[in-house]
Amino acid sequence: MSTKLPINLSDLLRQRTVEGERIEYKAGWNPDPIIRTLCAFANDFENLGGGYMVIGQDCDVNGQPVFPPVGLADNQLDKIQQELLAACQTIQPPYFPVLSIEEVERRKVIVLWAPGGQNRPYKAPESVTAKKKTWHHYIRRYSSTVEAKGEAEQELLSLAAKVPFDDRYNQSARINDLSKPLMQAFLQEVGSELAADAPGLSVEALARQMNVAGGPTESPWPKNVGLLFFNETPERFFPGVQIDVVWFPEGAGGDRFEEKIFKGPLARMTREALSYIQRNHLRETVIKHPDRAEATRVWNFPYAAIEEALVNAVYHRSYEEREPIEVRISNDELVVVSFPGPDRSIRLEDLQAGRAVSRRYRNRRIGEFFKELEMTEGRSTGIPKILKEMTSNGSPAPLFETDDDRLSFVIRLPRHPLALVPSPGTREVTPQVTPQVTPQVGMLLSRIEGEMTRQAIQDALGLADREHFRKTYLAPALEQGVIEMTLPDKPNSRSQRYRLTALGQRCLEANQGN
């Protein structure tokens, strides 16, 4: 019954420290509250992707895990698994989480991964051991499992068979449409112990363990989220899955524009689009003051705000729509357009004020993968972060727009008024300052020691996918001038090495100082 989790357990316990909607700790085996919480995770009322339960891990009054954990004795493990199997059959319809036995600081714990179910609503008995059982629907409210009553129960019942699009089976695809190298690269990047077993697993077995495939053994199907993240050409299955970056040198009303289109697996496509925007359209202006030594430095558009806006668009767009995400850039503003608009539960005035809190997420599994890749925090933090980053840069406030029918969502980031732009009679300033780099390029800089081969750098980063490494790490670093080839005239030479430039060294020192 035990298997490996497609996440890093240390991250689960230490980075997601406090009990919340997606994680619960239990010091020991107690079937009644555990089954009720598994039922709540299966119902996935907020479409967050279910949750995790750690048995053998105690926590303090604030919900933070205590180390070392209390743990479980070896002679308890088989007994708990057998009783858990029987108890899960009391959930209606039957629901079984993924179970993994892990070791934390030399103590054994059981981790239950409970993804959102395909057959909600689920209900569980108030008492598993009672002869006369009473069943109720359960949902998560913050860090608690509660019985769904009144309007909450009616809303849960209305979700019957409404599995989010990204978590549905795709019956126009086959299991071999999932790329094993892409799945392995993801597991390595997030530090999953499953990465060590992945080479010996079939595509189907690996996909089932990662919950990106399902269905009967004789007819397995990939899930939409699997095709979006782990297929080289997801646009074959979902037309419009692309990011169009359009540059208007004369403004949106001008006759000229330049377009760059990004396609591919969601995470790679998003990272490549962000890297391209950063390299080609972000400028820092340095303003010196006669009365003080410190200069004022401002960016035309802060990178962190753009990153949040674009990842937000990829996360929350509908993949049943055929419209691409569009990033429209001019000297005056950067605009991110996606389809459709935000959930109707979000009021327009709250959206503009940065208080937008969604009651339900459109893509629970896409959000889950982005969180594992640390590309988003989730829980409605995107808009507040954009506001914060624009304020930190001294930029005008961003604008968030939609229409009454919620057909589209527009995020406008105005240019900083002091940022210089090319125009007749005005010379663009390109100061000798430390550039902004993506987290991937920053990580690459921290791994280079002296002169290293491409393979040595890739191994130091722990990456298996050569193409992903080249596109996301190596090429952007070369284009930004933070690393250089030792043999620039012979780029494909066997003797080729890479080293930091002076700019790269300055960037590395700046990152280490933050």
Side-chain angles (χ1 to χ4, degrees), residues 62-80:
N62 296 316
Q64 293 183 329
V66 176
F67 295 100
V70 63
L72 300 170
D74 288 340
N75 59 8
Q76 288 182 285
L77 298 176
D78 286 341
K79 180 174 181 291
I80 291 174

Side-chain angles (χ1 to χ4, degrees), residues 412-426:
R412 295 184 183 275
L413 307 181
R415 174 181 61 86
H416 193 292
L418 297 181
L420 298 180
V421 296
S423 60
T426 301

Side-chain angles (χ1 to χ4, degrees), residues 409-438:
F409 186 38
V410 179
I411 300 177
R412 295 184 183 275
L413 307 181
R415 174 181 61 86
H416 193 292
L418 297 181
L420 298 180
V421 296
S423 60
T426 301
R427 182 174 61 87
E428 181 181 7
V429 176
T430 308
Q432 295 299 312
V433 297
T434 303
Q436 288 183 314
V437 297
T438 63

Side-chain angles (χ1 to χ4, degrees), residues 278-296:
Q278 184 181 45
R279 294 193 308 270
N280 294 280
H281 297 291
L282 299 194
R283 300 289 183 269
E284 187 180 46
T285 299
V286 180
I287 304 168
K288 295 184 178 181
H289 304 282
D291 58 338
R292 62 179 188 270
E294 298 83 7
T296 299

Side-chain angles (χ1 to χ4, degrees), residues 223-258:
K223 292 187 176 183
N224 288 328
V225 69
L227 296 169
L228 286 166
F229 276 91
F230 308 122
N231 182 279
E232 291 287 352
T233 55
E235 66 274 10
R236 289 194 298 126
F237 306 98
F238 317 100
V241 176
Q242 63 188 59
I243 299 173
D244 297 350
V245 180
V246 189
W247 161 240
F248 298 92
E250 300 169 352
D255 295 327
R256 293 192 301 122
F257 68 89
E258 300 172 9

